[in-house]
Amino acid sequence: MQTHIDKTNLVDLISDKHAKLRKKVIDAWEQNGEDKVTDTESYMIALVEKERTTVAQIAKKIGMSRQGAHKCAKGLMERGYIEIEDHQDNSRDKFLCLTDKGRYFVDETLHIKRNIENEIIKSIGKEKFDLLKEAFSSSWFE
């Protein structure tokens, strides 16, 4: 008799666990009394934190329309997570950058993620955790 794990391919398993982990992070953020932030908004904040970028570049990375990305960015600006900075070489393009509230979100969600990692380590052990991290850091996933 096949078990659930035997019937599940690795790609679907990773996708399912990724969605559950993202939800766990956002739920913990909200349980701390913070505003509701969607997965897309969280991803956008993370991309802005990593590098100076435009809404168009984010739309391409996330795989959504420019209009959708603009709507998401506008909501984050209205709630104080990001702001617009002029592009010195091109007046049409605008860079997104984090506000103090955006940096607070990044710092706090990183803390939440580290707590989740510690839960995983307690469950599977440090050696297996390190092997997983090494596997997903492989250049194959680039």
Side-chain angles (χ1 to χ4, degrees), residues 90-103:
N90 180 343
S91 62
R92 206 178 109 199
D93 285 336
K94 309 285 185 203
F95 281 116
L96 300 178
C97 55
L98 294 180
T99 62
D100 288 342
K101 185 175 182 180
R103 281 186 286 283

Side-chain angles (χ1 to χ4, degrees), residues 27-46:
D27 288 349
W29 168 255
E30 290 175 17
Q31 286 172 2
N32 288 340
E34 304 295 347
D35 326 343
K36 180 166 178 47
V37 174
T38 68
D39 281 341
T40 304
E41 290 171 331
S42 176
Y43 192 22
M44 185 176 279
I45 291 169

